[in-house]
């Protein structure tokens, strides 16, 4: 199961739409001119191709265009396929801690009556969209023939009244909606009182606009906070208390896409022609285009996705204010698409998010380990500046404690254990002089791929510096970026993947291209464990000799000050991410 990767897949079976909303982000693309059967063929093909590569959709949702413009048969066939997919993969998904739901559609609700039988049969969950207040819905959300749509949509909602399917609506809020906040509040109360919708399960989405958008305007950050405060004032302590505290602003909680370091590892939008984009925001945008399921391999698509999101985050850079925010672990600096639209390097809803998190401290507490969280995030998304934010070394509390460096200086064998000149790692054409992880004040973090050539140089005399060199060996330890709990003391440490020893006589037989150093090619040894490595957090590779290792543990046993300060692995190390790409893709 560790080999599987799980993704959230949005599928667009048709680009056609029966409405012509004046601010539609797809604009002229909402016309489907294709007369083919790929509405289902593409989804089947993609799911099978992903599965063959051990990439498993844990959620398949239908988006658009407008999915209800499909014929009754096409809609039913597509829903039935998703229903059976969940049924067939239930055990796999649940074994990996995913809740198996029912087929889900995002819809404008205008044509939902045509498919009510299928919705009942397969327990289809529905997320509809409205403009609030209703007066703006009537103005902005019209058909392609410029006809009003609200009455029809409210009638269709009534059709859902006696079926148990989950149904909800969402509304996107711009400046124009904010300016009619009293009307908006009245219409929320109307929907709660007069429809089958559970308005505790409702979503606000905060609108953003591009430079060429003329119809609507974005709220300022101050207005966003004022909007949130007004919702609290109006609905806290009422029957909609749960909604305003939870789902109404759930766009910003850790279950949403913005909680990912790199959303290109998890979220994908697939169109009927096979094109894959980041999401509905990035749809039809070349900067967020990942490839085509018919033309590209799954690995190309997955690597393109990760790379595009990385590049888009780095195009706007990192805002140093975020390094001191104790909610970075939730926000991850916001949506890369919107950041690029605005040319900003932090979330366009930053102040609003902070207020929401403060009000829900039990759910979204401040990060106690913020410095470490910032450093881990930057290591992955902005590695060129990560070193600047490396957490300062924590010093011992006891003023009379002998320092680790003093202990080393007085012990000739410890000097050799911590010597920064005895190991040099060469990856492809770049060399890294290795230092003890508990002494160095900066960290080298590199990327390995399946094509990387990895060579270790060992200073001559190191393996031979003992009574019986033939018994000595190079000692390598590989640790995963995963954290696990070890031992009775319950310490949380990096998970050990392997320990490997190569004896002195085996190493000294090799021809070295570096004077005064032995050489050992460890490429094949490390490659045996690529499948066990993680890419969310840095993995760790340590080097020492068997004799040095034994002396280190003997010193720990005999010297309490040394034990306290060298409790973690003190040996020369390098940290790395493993990225499964070919040489041509790097």
């Amino acid at each position: 199961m560790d080999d599987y990767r799980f993704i959230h897949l949005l599928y667009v079976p048709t680009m056609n739409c029966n409405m012509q909303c004046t601010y539609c982000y797809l604009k002229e693309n909402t016309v489907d001119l294709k007369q083919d059967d790929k509405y289902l063929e593409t989804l089947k093909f993609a799911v099978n191709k992903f599965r063959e590569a051990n990439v498993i959709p844990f959620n398949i949702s239908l988006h658009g265009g407008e999915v209800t413009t499909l014929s009754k048969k096409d809609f039913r066939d597509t829903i039935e396929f998703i229903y059976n997919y969940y049924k067939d993969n239930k055990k796999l998904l649940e074994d990996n801690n995913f809740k198996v739901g029912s087929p889900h559609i995002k819809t404008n609700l205008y044509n939902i009556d045509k498919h009510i039988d299928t919705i009942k049969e397969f327990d289809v969950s529905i997320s509809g969209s409205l403009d609030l207040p209703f007066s703006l819905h009537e103005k902005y959300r019209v058909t392609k023939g410029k006809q009003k749509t609200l009455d029809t949509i409210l009638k269709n909602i009534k059709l859902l009244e006696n079926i148990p399917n989950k149904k909800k609506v969402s509304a996107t809020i711009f400046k124009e909606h904010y300016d009619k906040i009293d009307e908006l509040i009245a219409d929320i109360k109307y929907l709660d009182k007069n429809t089958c919708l559970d308005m505790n399960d409702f979503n606000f989405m905060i609108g953003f606009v591009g430079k060429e958008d003329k119809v609507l305007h974005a709220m300022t950050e101050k207005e966003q906070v004022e909007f949130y405060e007004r919702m609290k004032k109006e609905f806290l302590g009422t029957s909609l208390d749960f909604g305003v505290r939870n789902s109404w602003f759930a766009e910003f909680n850790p279950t949403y896409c913005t909680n990912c370091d790199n959303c290109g590892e998890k979220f994908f939008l697939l169109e009927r022609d096979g094109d894959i984009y980041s999401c509905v925001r990035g749809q039809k945008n070349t900067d967020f285009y990942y490839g085509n399921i018919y033309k590209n391999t799954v690995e190309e698509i997955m690597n393109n996705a990760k790379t595009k999101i990385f590049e888009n985050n780095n195009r706007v850079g990192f805002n140093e204010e975020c390094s001191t925010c104790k909610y970075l672990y939730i926000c991850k600096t916001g949506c890369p698409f919107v950041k690029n639209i605005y040319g900003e390097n932090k979330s366009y809803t930053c102040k609003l998010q902070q207020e929401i998190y403060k009000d829900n401290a039990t759910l979204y507490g401040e990060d106690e380990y913020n410095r470490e969280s910032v450093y881990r995030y930057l290591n992955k998304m902005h590695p060129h500046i990560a070193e600047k934010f490396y957490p300062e070394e924590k010093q011992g509390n006891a003023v009379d404690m002998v320092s680790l460096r003093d202990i080393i200086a007085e012990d000739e064998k410890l000097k050799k254990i911590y010597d920064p000149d005895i190991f040099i790692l060469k990856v492809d054409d770049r060399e890294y002089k290795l230092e003890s992880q508990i002494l160095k004040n900066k960290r080298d973090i590199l990327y390995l791929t399946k094509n990387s050539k990895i060579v270790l140089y060992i200073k001559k005399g190191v393996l031979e510096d003992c009574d019986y060199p033939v018994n000595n060996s190079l000692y390598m330890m590989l640790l995963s970026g995963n954290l696990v709990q070890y031992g009775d003391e319950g310490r949380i440490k990096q998970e050990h993947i392997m320990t490997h020893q190569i004896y002195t006589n085996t190493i000294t037989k090799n021809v070295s291209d570096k004077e005064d150093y032995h050489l050992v090619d460890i490429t094949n040894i490390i490659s045996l464990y690529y499948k066990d490595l993680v890419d969310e957090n840095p993995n760790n590779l340590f080097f020492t000799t068997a004799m040095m290792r034994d002396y280190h543990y003997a010193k720990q046993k005999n010297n309490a000050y040394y034990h306290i300060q060298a409790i973690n692995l003190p040996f020369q190390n390098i940290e790395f991410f493993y990225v499964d790409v070919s040489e041509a893709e790097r």
Side-chain angles (χ1 to χ4, degrees), residues 455-570:
V455 172
L456 182 71
Y457 295 102
I458 310 164
K459 194 170 186 178
K460 290 180 179 178
V462 171
L463 288 164
E464 298 87 351
D465 186 21
C466 57
D467 292 335
Y468 303 102
V470 70
N471 291 343
N472 202 5
S473 62
L474 169 68
Y475 202 98
M476 294 188 292
M477 290 156 284
L478 178 62
L479 279 64
S480 161
N482 282 328
L483 298 178
V484 294
Q485 183 171 303
Y486 279 101
D488 290 341
E489 60 189 346
R491 288 180 65 207
I492 303 297
K493 301 192 295 181
Q494 284 187 276
E495 183 178 24
H496 285 252
I497 293 178
M498 71 85 172
T499 298
H500 192 92
Q501 291 177 264
I502 307 176
Y503 283 83
T504 302
N505 286 354
T506 301
I507 293 173
T508 56
K509 291 175 185 175
N510 297 331
V511 177
S512 175
D513 60 349
K514 187 180 289 291
E515 189 177 359
D516 297 328
Y517 283 84
H518 297 303
L519 174 150
V520 55
D521 188 332
I522 61 174
T523 303
N524 291 336
I525 297 170
I526 303 302
S527 68
L528 291 172
Y529 303 95
Y530 282 156
K531 64 181 177 58
D532 299 301
L533 301 174
V534 301
D535 58 8
E536 291 85 2
N537 299 307
N539 304 283
N540 225 327
L541 185 58
F542 291 86
F543 301 94
T544 188
T545 70
M547 298 301 179
M548 288 178 174
R549 179 180 179 274
D550 289 347
Y551 188 81
H552 159 72
Y553 284 111
K555 188 74 175 182
Q556 275 195 337
K557 182 178 180 180
N558 295 324
N559 188 313
Y561 290 156
Y562 179 76
H563 180 90
I564 291 171
Q565 297 177 83
I567 191 170
N568 293 318
L569 288 176

Side-chain angles (χ1 to χ4, degrees), residues 252-465:
F252 308 113
N253 75 29
T255 65
Y256 268 65
C257 51
T258 48
N259 186 239
C260 296
D261 286 343
N262 188 321
C263 58
E265 297 172 324
K266 187 174 180 181
F267 293 89
F268 298 82
L269 180 142
L270 169 69
E271 292 185 344
R272 185 173 77 172
D273 62 2
D275 284 342
I276 296 180
Y277 295 88
S278 59
C279 60
V280 295
R281 289 180 171 180
Q283 194 175 359
K284 298 301 184 184
N285 187 300
T286 55
D287 286 338
F288 292 83
Y289 172 71
Y290 298 160
N292 186 286
I293 196 66
Y294 290 113
K295 299 174 184 177
N296 299 97
T297 68
V298 170
E299 285 308 309
E300 286 172 338
I301 291 167
M302 299 294 285
N303 290 322
N304 285 342
K306 185 187 297 187
T307 301
K308 287 279 182 105
I309 297 302
F310 179 88
E311 290 173 346
N312 277 290
N313 272 287
N314 280 272
R315 187 174 292 122
V316 293
F318 179 70
N319 192 313
E320 294 199 11
E321 289 181 18
C322 298
S323 68
T324 59
C325 176
K326 295 193 175 181
Y327 301 115
L328 177 76
Y329 78 104
I330 306 174
C331 170
K332 304 298 175 70
T333 77
C335 172
F337 180 83
V338 183
K339 286 191 293 185
N340 275 271
I341 287 288
Y342 284 162
E344 298 287 345
N345 53 14
K346 67 175 183 177
S347 174
Y348 73 113
T349 53
C350 175
K351 290 183 171 58
L352 170 61
Q353 289 175 252
Q354 290 179 347
E355 291 303 312
I356 293 170
Y357 302 146
K358 289 174 186 175
D359 286 345
N360 294 274
T362 303
L363 293 174
Y364 316 123
E366 292 187 351
D367 185 4
E368 182 181 352
Y369 304 102
N370 181 61
R371 292 177 64 85
E372 289 82 358
S373 297
V374 170
Y375 183 70
R376 284 197 299 271
Y377 170 75
L378 292 174
N379 263 334
K380 185 165 185 177
M381 298 307 297
H382 299 276
H384 62 290
I385 63 169
E387 181 181 317
K388 178 180 177 181
F389 296 89
Y390 178 62
E392 295 177 4
E393 184 178 3
K394 296 178 180 178
Q395 303 296 326
N397 292 324
V399 295
D400 59 345
M401 181 183 291
V402 181
S403 76
L404 177 60
R405 293 185 185 276
D406 288 340
I407 295 172
I408 294 170
E410 295 176 0
D411 189 311
E412 291 302 318
K413 289 188 177 181
L414 284 184
K415 286 181 184 178
K416 294 174 182 177
I417 290 175
Y418 289 91
D419 189 340
D421 295 318
I422 62 176
F423 294 113
I424 299 173
L425 192 72
K426 184 176 181 181
V427 178
D428 299 322
D429 295 321
R430 184 173 178 183
E431 292 186 356
Y432 301 85
K433 185 180 286 188
L434 303 185
E435 301 176 71
S436 166
Q437 72 158 355
I438 63 175
L439 291 184
K440 58 188 175 184
N441 55 19
K442 66 176 184 178
R443 298 162 76 180
D444 285 318
I445 297 183
L446 56 89
Y447 284 83
L448 296 183
T449 75
K450 58 189 175 185
N451 299 304
S452 296
K453 181 176 176 61
I454 312 168
V455 172
L456 182 71
Y457 295 102
I458 310 164
K459 194 170 186 178
K460 290 180 179 178
V462 171
L463 288 164
E464 298 87 351
D465 186 21

